[in-house]
Amino acid sequence: MRQAGVVLLALLVPLVLVACDDGKDESDRSKDSVSSKQLCDGALSGDAGQAMEAVSGANEFSQLSSEDGVQGVAESIAEEYSNQGAATAKDHSLCQVYSSQSGAGFDLEITYSLADETSAAVGGEDPDFAKYEIGRKALAKVDEAVLYYECASNKLPGSDSSPAIIRGELKHRHEPEGNPQKLRENNLTILHSASLSLAKNLGCEKNGQLLAKPAFTPVP
């Protein structure tokens, strides 16, 4: 009887292990994995998608949330500008994403808000930021990027004489590893692409002076 019990146990253990492994694989499998090109409501260009892959070390992602999407963010900013201007600006989430291949828990968020002249002039004076000649003002460090640009649009009443100032921010939850300059430029490439998409959706004159591709000219 003892020998039979040992044989039965030996037969059952592999079955239990297989069942456990199958359960783990199923629970870990992302059901909404997307490529970098599909992230942030399709707001990332080819270069920005490559930058996302470079900064994360992955090529598949999941969107934790897409609260508004590009059109939703544009509508929210237009409504807020019409009602209150930048006085009580709120952050509007374009997207939150994480790498479904990274064990480090990489995740990133891009938000937009209205800004005033003061914040556009002196905001982001953290010495860790490098400054670039992109839009009204662009700042970047290894785990964050900020981009201000002006928008004159018929969707923003009164902005033809005094353009609205849009502030975009990209933030990593965990500090990425790699060459600091490359990380800064990758962060700005992603944020610039998303900002250009938003500028087009808002109907900003000359796309808010944002070029098709950012030029990383440092500000002295």
Side-chain angles (χ1 to χ4, degrees):
M1 289 295 292
R2 181 178 179 183
Q3 184 176 1
V6 171
V7 172
L8 180 60
L9 180 61
L11 291 173
L12 286 175
V13 167
L15 293 175
V16 172
L17 291 176
V18 169
C20 290
D21 286 345
D22 285 347
K24 181 179 180 181
D25 289 344
E26 180 62 26
S27 63
D28 287 350
R29 190 179 295 119
S30 174
K31 294 181 173 58
D32 59 349
S33 291
V34 296
S35 71
S36 57
K37 295 179 182 179
Q38 297 170 288
L39 291 172
C40 305
D41 200 23
L44 303 188
S45 65
D47 287 348
Q50 292 175 10
M52 179 73 83
E53 293 177 10
V55 80
S56 66
N59 55 28
E60 286 187 357
F61 305 86
S62 293
Q63 299 197 70
L64 295 177
S65 72
S66 184
E67 182 181 322
D68 297 306
V70 178
Q71 184 176 352
V73 169
E75 290 174 352
S76 297
I77 285 178
E79 181 180 2
E80 188 173 8
Y81 185 83
S82 299
N83 294 335
Q84 301 169 333
T88 56
K90 299 177 181 178
D91 286 336
H92 302 282
S93 177
L94 173 61
C95 59
Q96 295 178 325
V97 301
Y98 74 95
S99 164
S100 56
Q101 292 183 346
S102 173
F106 163 85
D107 66 271
L108 170 154
E109 182 175 22
I110 298 175
T111 59
Y112 286 93
S113 64
L114 289 168
D116 57 23
E117 287 288 343
T118 301
S119 62
V122 300
E125 296 305 310
D126 184 331
D128 290 338
F129 276 122
K131 298 181 181 180
Y132 298 88
E133 293 181 1
I134 302 173
R136 173 77 176 263
K137 181 169 70 174
L139 310 163
K141 54 184 179 178
V142 296
D143 59 352
E144 185 177 0
V146 178
L147 175 60
Y148 293 85
Y149 64 95
E150 295 183 351
C151 181
S153 168
N154 58 15
K155 294 182 180 180
L156 306 174
S159 62
D160 54 337
S161 58
S162 180
I165 302 174
I166 310 297
R167 179 185 186 275
E169 181 177 30
L170 175 154
K171 254 189 162 178
H172 294 274
R173 182 177 179 185
H174 303 287
E175 186 173 305
E177 296 181 357
N179 179 280
Q181 180 179 344
K182 286 294 184 184
L183 289 171
R184 291 194 299 267
E185 292 182 0
N186 283 331
N187 287 336
L188 266 181
T189 297
I190 297 166
L191 183 59
H192 173 274
S193 180
S195 299
L196 180 58
S197 180
L198 179 60
K200 290 179 178 179
N201 208 288
L202 277 169
C204 301
E205 183 179 338
K206 296 183 180 179
N207 295 328
Q209 303 296 330
L210 297 177
L211 304 178
K213 292 186 177 183
F216 297 106
T217 305
V219 175

